[in-house]
Structure formats: structure tokens, C-alpha cells
Amino acid sequence: MDTKALFRFASIVAVAQLVFAGAAVAETQFTGIAAGATYSAPVGEEYQTYSESTGYRAQFWAKNDAVLGDVFQLHGSAGYRPYDIRGLTSSAAISLKQWAFFLGFETGRMTNPSWIKPFLGIDFGAVFSDLEAPTGYAKNSAFHFASEVIPGFEIPIWGALSFQASAPLTFIFTNKVFISLSGEGSLRWSL
Amino acid sequence: MKTLNFVGYLSLLAVVAAGCGEGSDPYQVLQNPDETPVIALPMEVAKITSAASSTRDRLELASNVAFNVVSPVEGYVTGITFEATSTYAISIFYNSSFSLVISNLASVPLVRLGERVTAGQVLGSVNIAQAIYYTAYLNGVATCPYVFLSAADKEAVRSRNLSAPSYPPCP
């Protein structure tokens, strides 16, 4: 268990809560929710070990004008990505599963008057990683501190519904750094 | 505000409830150098009485005493299978291009699927006069492990091969 990662993540949540508690004078409002699919590939040395992955992610956005102004908004997400292991000689379906929980800030979307709205976000959080074989296995799992940079753009579809495409670059801080680059498509509902 | 607090607590709860981790760090379990390793024999050299290759993709090692089979490398157990011959085969992942399979083990393996093993860790035992099969997989292709052995182990295999001259110890 990476205890430090757990406490780091707890600290981030606690700090975020303090910030918003201090700004109780202003209302914090959810501005959007989204769900979509992610196609990720590890970058660098890890690409030799892990295959590409198709995963899923749910996201939310919230604004607080008093704390973040009208330029930034809060962004949170929870996602799942399974990576297969390359070069196995047995038929065992061994995979590395990642459950990611992020909280951070995003800019560029709210004040942009154009039809296509580009945005850039940075998130921090924790990733729970589990290396699994189907039966009779010894478990190997751990929490790690992680961060994510998310460039992307949003295209309105109809009313409050829009499509957003992004390319999250994820850093998971293990004894080395596991980096993955993803392509993500999701449907966003503005609130 | 209450909703945000709720989301915060929910996130924290998810982190805690998901468990605090077990076993080894999954990333370290699979972390070995990209190079092909120099491997050892999976048994004490002194106990080998016969080393041969009836097929081109494996070494067959036998002894006239019972012995323990050990892991030749540090790696990750990715397969334990029960064969039609009522024996076990153990697959050890070294890196994405190199794995080892040790088969024809008569006893129940002492390691579990998904376990990180160190070089020299006992995997199981072999009965008297029973040969074990030792195969290396390079980029998914079964290969005689002889070429990956250390110089000392190559010499040991060559010297024990005299008892089975019809089979060379790999091409």
C-alpha cells in the first residue's frame, strides 16, 4: 500500500473542501456532467509491457465565481482503464486495472464565445491499480498519487447536449512514472 | 456547497473502501530491464545427471535424486497449468519479450498465479529420475534456453549431456 498516496489524495479533497467552505458566501453550482469512452496507450518503456486499453470515464464540472472567477471551473472525474500484459506465454487473462479519481481545475471553456470551445484542465488525484489473474491468484494492488493534463474541445450538438473530445495525458507516480496518452470522446450535458 | 462536500466525501470513501493495496506494487511486479537476461538452470547443477533436448525448443534435465526446482530469474508467475500427463507447468514472465516455462513437475507448485518470484525461489519439487522440461520464450517463440545460460551453466549442461549423446543440448 502506498500510504503516502492515500494521504496526499485525502489532503487534496480536504483542501478543496476548505476552499469552498471559505467561499460559502457564493453559491457553487454544478455546470455539467459527462460520460464517455477512453482509448489509452502507455508511453515510453511501459508500452513494451502494457497493451492499449479501452476504458470509461464519468466527469463533472462546477463553478464558483467568488473563488474561481468566471475563467476557471472545478473538474472532477472517476474512470476505469484495463491494460492487458504483452508477451504472456500462457492463456491466462492477466490484466492491470486502473481506477482513477481526479479533482482539479479547467479553463478556456466558460468564457469562449465560439461554437467550438477549446479547454485545458489539470487534475490531481489517486489511481488504484490492480494486477489480476482470473483464478487462484496472488493479488498485487496499490494506490498511487497521479495527475492529469487534459486538452480538448467541445462541440455543441443540441440544446444542453454537446460532444467533447480530449487527449488526457496521465502521470501515475509509482517508483518510476507510468505515463499514458489517451483519446477520449464523451457526451456532456450542461446544467 | 453541501453537494460538493458530498462529492468530496464520496471520493475519499471510494479511495478508502477500494482497499489499501495488497501484495506487491503492480508496476514493480512487471518491471524488469528490457534486455534478454542471462539465466540460470532451474536446479542445482550438481544434481543434474542428464541434460538433453529431444526437441529443439527445450532442455530436459534429469537427476537420480529428488530435487527442488527454483526460479532461474526474478519474475512474475503468469501461468500454472495442469497438463494431460498429470504434471504441472509454471510460466514465469521476465519482461514482455522474454518468459520461461518449466514443465513436467510432478508435485503441486509452491507458488501461486500472480506471485512475484525471486531468482532462486523454490517453485516445486521433482521425483527421482523424472526429467523437467525447461523452455524459454523469446517474443512468443519457444526457444531452447541453452543460449541464454551463463557460461558456467552451459558447461554444466555440456558435461552432463554425455549420458544422452543422441540428443544435443539444443542446436
Side-chain angles (χ1 to χ4, degrees):
Chain A
M1 155 58 185
D2 190 343
T3 314
K4 288 181 182 174
L6 178 62
F7 283 111
R8 281 192 201 116
F9 182 72
S11 306
I12 290 167
V13 174
V15 167
Q17 288 187 337
L18 283 174
V19 167
F20 284 98
V25 287
E27 192 67 24
T28 302
Q29 292 177 325
F30 282 100
T31 55
I33 53 173
T38 306
Y39 187 74
S40 327
V43 176
E45 288 177 19
E46 305 291 10
Y47 184 79
Q48 302 298 325
T49 304
Y50 306 97
S51 68
E52 295 87 351
S53 150
T54 302
Y56 310 95
R57 176 143 78 159
Q59 302 172 76
F60 73 86
W61 291 262
K63 69 171 186 176
N64 185 312
D65 290 340
V67 177
L68 301 172
D70 59 356
V71 175
F72 292 97
Q73 59 181 339
L74 191 69
H75 173 246
S77 69
Y80 166 71
R81 290 176 194 168
Y83 291 95
D84 288 336
I85 313 300
R86 295 185 196 273
L88 294 181
T89 53
S90 60
S91 57
I94 293 172
S95 60
L96 177 81
K97 295 180 171 64
Q98 294 178 343
W99 285 267
F101 306 93
F102 286 110
L103 200 60
F105 303 99
E106 186 194 281
T107 188
R109 190 197 307 257
M110 293 173 73
T111 53
N112 196 317
S114 59
W115 185 61
I116 296 179
K117 294 176 167 50
F119 60 84
L120 178 67
I122 181 162
D123 287 357
F124 301 94
V127 171
F128 178 72
S129 306
D130 186 17
L131 187 63
E132 275 189 4
T135 54
Y137 58 87
K139 279 186 81 68
N140 296 290
S141 58
F143 269 105
H144 294 101
F145 179 65
S147 67
E148 197 164 64
V149 178
I150 315 168
F153 60 88
E154 177 188 350
I155 303 172
I157 299 175
W158 178 74
L161 188 65
S162 59
F163 172 78
Q164 75 168 30
S166 59
L169 185 63
T170 310
F171 301 85
I172 301 172
F173 297 93
T174 66
N175 63 332
K176 296 201 305 185
V177 184
F178 179 98
I179 304 172
S180 61
L181 181 62
S182 311
E184 187 172 289
S186 51
L187 288 175
R188 183 179 193 269
W189 186 263
S190 298
L191 301 172
Chain B
M1 192 62 233
K2 284 180 180 173
T3 314
L4 261 189
N5 275 340
F6 175 72
V7 170
Y9 286 126
L10 201 64
S11 306
L12 188 57
L13 188 67
V15 170
V16 173
C20 294
E22 295 178 60
S24 308
D25 183 322
Y27 299 94
Q28 290 184 39
V29 162
L30 298 174
Q31 211 166 70
N32 273 322
D34 289 337
E35 298 83 29
T36 304
V38 174
I39 57 175
L41 289 166
M43 59 193 285
E44 283 179 49
V45 169
K47 289 196 167 73
I48 301 174
T49 52
S50 169
S53 297
S54 58
T55 64
R56 295 171 66 86
D57 60 3
R58 72 185 188 200
L59 260 180
E60 297 161 18
L61 304 167
S63 166
N64 54 14
V65 294
F67 61 91
N68 283 333
V69 174
V70 298
S71 176
V73 292
E74 184 169 11
Y76 175 60
V77 179
T78 54
I80 294 178
T81 53
F82 188 62
E83 311 279 274
T85 52
S86 297
T87 57
Y88 291 91
I90 301 176
S91 304
I92 299 171
F93 174 98
Y94 178 78
N95 61 28
S96 58
S97 63
F98 190 85
S99 290
L100 293 170
V101 175
I102 298 168
S103 56
N104 209 37
L105 290 172
S107 68
V108 177
L110 299 176
V111 291
R112 291 193 299 162
L113 185 61
E115 188 173 334
R116 175 77 170 166
V117 290
T118 55
Q121 182 173 338
V122 176
L123 304 175
S125 57
V126 174
N127 297 331
I128 295 170
Q130 183 190 0
I132 58 161
Y133 305 147
Y134 187 28
T135 303
Y137 279 80
L138 189 62
N139 296 319
V141 178
T143 310
C144 181
Y146 180 80
V147 291
F148 307 110
L149 292 176
S150 67
D153 281 359
K154 279 181 180 170
E155 180 53 38
V157 167
R158 272 196 297 269
S159 63
R160 266 68 170 194
N161 187 51
L162 297 174
S163 61
S166 57
Y167 297 136
C170 293

